[in-house]
Structures are given as structure tokens and as C-alpha cells.
Amino acid sequence: MSETLPLTLGFSPCPNDTHIFNGLVHGKVELACCRLASVHLEDVETLNEWALQGCLDITKLSFHAFGHVQDRYALLQAGAALGRGCGPLLITGAGEKPADLADWKIAIPGAYTTAALLLRLYRPDCRQLIVERFDRIMDAVAAGQVDGGVIIHESRFTYQAMGLHCIRDLGQWWEETTGLPIPLGCIVAKKTLPLAVRTEIDAAIAASIRWSEAHAREGLDYIKAHAQEMDPQVMRDHIALYVNDYSMGLGEEGMHAVRHLLRRGADAGLFPAVDDSI
């Protein structure tokens, strides 16, 4: 390749993603056959919607959204959010609400989030789903605007301080039902990119994680700048929960969990059948 290929990259401003990509976006990891022409930090549901439009070359997105774009985007091995004890929570407040969960108005953090997928797999009869930004769901629940909400990201560390309580840990339900870790988010690359470029980006993401682990203090300012005034301990807990061995590489168990989630979603009619090459 005579010239480096310019690429567009997108990920969320959450601490786990800024931790993962810190080294890569700041030139701490060398790229040979490609370069980052632009970097976009957006809420994961925005990235999900952009992926449906094919906007970015390399992007973070929910595994639920990946089910819709698996024909156009290839799953990378590094950078994923997958694990145990880290799934979305279905919460509620103290106000009056229908006796049957199926009659609840439930806020979800995006139609294409894995949180929404898990709720629909857990309770297919819940139909009154209201899309809301992830960081506004707890306020909506506390104000009684909705009967319940599915929370993700740092909200799982702070909901109790608002007088809210968890009625079902959807990640725990998944683990009890399948015995597998829960796949939440992944990094994908356009299938039209040369394989050499996809391979290099995959390796670069893993190298970026290693850089962040080795230079925690040096990279802290970038993470804090995008953490929405998050409490430092919550920020550290967030990274520790969502950046783990699966982030370095999905491995056999991780891939098995991904395929199982996609098959469950496809069987429920939520997106097309799973690509056998995944």
C-alpha cells in the first residue's frame, strides 16, 4: 500500500472507551497502512444509528446493533465490552405503577442497545418502551415519568443514591439462563476495508489498551475530560468493570456468547439470521 488509508473512528465518551482508545487516538500506537482521519465521540445509540447508515469506517456499537449490520461490518476481536456482573439493570422508583410488568412504561437507552435487546428477550410482553438517553433515564424514573427504566454505564453505580431500586439484573438473568458472559458492545470495521487494515486496527486497539494500562496517570486527563464530571471512584469502577480480558480479545468463550446472543435475537425476529462467518 503506497499511501496510508484515512479512516474515520467512533466510540463513546464513557471511561471504558476513552481508556481503550486513549493511546491510539493520541499517537502512542503506530499505524503502518492506515491513519485516523477523524475521531468522533458520541453516545452509543448515536453510533448504533450511524452504523445503520454506514457512516464510519471503524466504530463502537452495541451487539444488538451489530445484528442489524453484520452484512456490512466485520466484528473485531479487541475493544469489546463483555463480561459477568456488568449487565444492564431494570430499575424502578417508589411511585404507584401497574401490577403487571407488561403494562409498565419502561425507558430504554436506545432502540438498538443491547440493554433493549435483553429486556425484549427477558420480557417479550413489555411493549411500552420509551427511548431515552442513558443519562436521563434515572431522572425520568425518579420523577414518575415512566414506571421503570433500563440503565447502563455508570448509572449502575449511582441509582441507589437517587432512591431507586433494581427489580431485575438483566445481565444476571442472561448468565443464569445461558451460563455465558453477557456481550454488551463491540468494535466493528467496514467489510469493504482491506483485510490488512482491519487486522492492523484490531492489533492497534489491543496495543492501545496495553498502553493505557501501563500509563494510567498519563492518560487520566483525557478520560476525565469526557466523563461528564463523574466521581473519580465511579470512573475507576466503570473502567475496572467494563475493560477486562475480553477487551483484549473475545476468545472462544466470548465468541460463543456473541453468537448465542445474536441467534437469540434473530430467533425473536429482532434482526436477520446470524452470518455463519461470525
Side-chain angles (χ1 to χ4, degrees):
M1 190 174 297
S2 58
E3 296 183 1
T4 56
L5 185 67
L7 299 177
T8 52
L9 168 68
F11 54 90
S12 85
C14 292
N16 60 308
D17 280 354
T18 49
H19 176 85
I20 286 171
F21 287 98
N22 201 344
L24 181 58
V25 300
H26 289 104
K28 306 300 182 180
V29 177
E30 291 187 6
L31 295 172
C33 60
C34 59
R35 60 182 173 83
L36 299 181
S38 62
V39 177
H40 307 266
L41 277 69
E42 298 287 347
D43 172 68
V44 69
E45 184 66 355
T46 297
L47 296 173
N48 289 340
E49 292 170 354
W50 284 5
L52 293 175
Q53 301 168 37
C55 293
L56 300 175
D57 297 313
I58 313 290
T59 186
K60 168 74 175 281
L61 79 169
S62 302
F63 272 107
H64 181 185
F66 178 59
H68 291 271
V69 299
Q70 56 187 305
D71 59 328
R72 288 165 279 164
Y73 281 92
L75 177 64
L76 300 186
Q77 289 295 302
L82 184 150
R84 298 181 185 275
C86 62
L89 308 178
L90 176 59
I91 62 164
T92 191
E96 293 291 328
K97 55 189 66 68
D100 190 343
L101 186 66
D103 297 322
W104 283 24
K105 293 179 181 178
I106 301 176
I108 56 173
Y112 299 103
T113 59
T114 304
L117 171 59
L118 285 173
L119 177 63
R120 295 182 70 175
L121 294 178
Y122 170 61
R123 286 294 299 263
D125 55 344
C126 288
R127 299 293 183 181
Q128 298 187 72
L129 305 183
I130 300 170
V131 174
E132 186 60 270
R133 265 186 63 97
F134 81 93
D135 54 352
R136 297 172 184 162
I137 289 178
M138 290 194 298
D139 287 337
V141 175
Q145 297 169 357
V146 291
D147 301 306
V150 181
I151 58 173
I152 57 175
H153 300 327
E154 64 270 16
S155 299
R156 67 176 293 120
F157 301 107
T158 60
Y159 72 94
Q160 291 171 314
M162 295 183 64
L164 307 174
H165 62 274
C166 176
I167 60 172
R168 194 57 166 119
D169 183 325
L170 295 175
Q172 183 182 53
W173 167 79
W174 170 265
E175 291 176 43
E176 292 171 352
T177 304
T178 68
L180 297 169
I182 176 62
L184 298 171
C186 57
I187 310 300
V188 299
K190 281 186 175 179
K191 288 186 174 181
T192 53
L193 292 174
L195 180 58
V197 170
R198 285 185 266 150
T199 300
E200 180 174 66
I201 286 292
D202 213 348
I205 294 171
S208 184
I209 296 172
R210 290 192 294 270
W211 181 90
S212 291
E213 296 295 336
H215 301 83
R217 288 187 178 275
E218 184 179 345
L220 190 58
D221 287 345
Y222 179 66
I223 298 170
K224 288 171 63 176
H226 296 283
Q228 299 181 338
E229 299 181 1
M230 191 184 300
D231 178 84
Q233 186 57 52
V234 172
M235 188 173 67
R236 288 190 290 269
D237 290 343
H238 184 105
I239 294 171
L241 184 64
Y242 294 108
V243 183
N244 52 38
D245 289 344
Y246 294 112
S247 304
M248 290 298 297
L250 287 168
E252 184 176 344
E253 183 182 46
M255 288 301 299
H256 180 47
V258 169
R259 294 185 186 105
H260 190 75
L261 179 70
L262 294 177
R263 289 192 187 100
R264 290 281 294 270
D267 289 346
L270 300 179
F271 43 73
V274 182
D275 185 339
D276 291 336
S277 66
I278 295 173

